[in-house]
Amino acid sequence: VTCRTAEALAEAREVLGPDQVLVLGDHGVDLASLRAALAMRGLVNLLSEGGPHLLRDLLAARAVDELCATVVPRLVAGDGPRIAAGPALDVPVDLRLLLEEDGTLLGRWFVASWWGADRRREACGQPASGPAVPARHTQRTTQYWTPKGSSS
């Protein structure tokens, strides 16, 4: 996936074949049309592991359904960036899964602003609002608020 003004566009088409190179946008990739273009090719589940600017741009383009993040038990000082960087943006998220092991948290949130958090929770058989409630306990791991029929 690239844009019309990309320096290596011709080379990419030559190496990969013109049908394998998606050109979405003039001076940058049009992230709003990215999901639809990839879905047309059968790619409906996408994983993005970019930096904080890409995450912010994907959120602004409404191209994010969920966020998975890990929090480790460390307090570190420094000038590190936020999880998303760029022009101001406030996107509500709805906790779907929270796992803990040895102090490390693994979290999964749904982006609530354009899907509708209440509808999503009700579709999974959970109350439309309220705090996450423990769903299952194991010897070392606690999993919070798992939708009915979900194992992840």
Side-chain angles (χ1 to χ4, degrees):
V1 178
T2 190
C3 62
R4 282 182 185 74
T5 57
E7 290 181 24
L9 178 57
E11 181 181 354
R13 286 179 168 155
E14 183 179 320
V15 171
L16 300 172
D19 293 341
Q20 299 302 315
V21 178
L22 289 175
V23 178
L24 302 174
D26 293 323
H27 301 288
V29 174
D30 178 0
L31 297 174
S33 63
L34 176 63
R35 282 188 80 161
L38 292 173
M40 295 291 290
R41 293 170 174 248
L43 302 169
V44 294
N45 295 313
L46 311 174
L47 172 66
S48 172
E49 292 186 1
H53 291 279
L54 177 60
L55 176 56
R56 187 263 172 224
D57 293 346
L58 287 168
L59 287 166
R62 297 185 172 204
V64 177
D65 289 357
E66 63 184 68
L67 171 71
C68 296
T70 303
V71 178
V72 297
R74 305 288 289 192
L75 296 175
V76 180
D79 295 324
R82 295 176 181 222
I83 191 170
L89 185 65
D90 184 0
V91 178
V93 293
D94 184 43
L95 181 65
R96 169 135 192 247
L97 180 70
L98 184 61
L99 300 172
E100 184 276 336
E101 184 167 314
D102 296 330
T104 297
L105 299 175
L106 304 173
R108 184 177 183 193
W109 291 264
F110 282 141
V111 175
S113 64
W114 42 87
W115 209 94
D118 290 346
R119 283 193 2 218
R120 183 179 9 254
R121 292 181 99 183
E122 288 172 352
C124 295
Q126 296 293 323
S129 60
V133 294
R136 127 179 136 212
H137 297 276
T138 63
Q139 187 174 21
R140 296 188 64 204
T141 304
T142 303
Q143 178 176 322
Y144 289 95
W145 193 76
T146 304
K148 288 182 182 176
S150 175
S151 61
S152 59

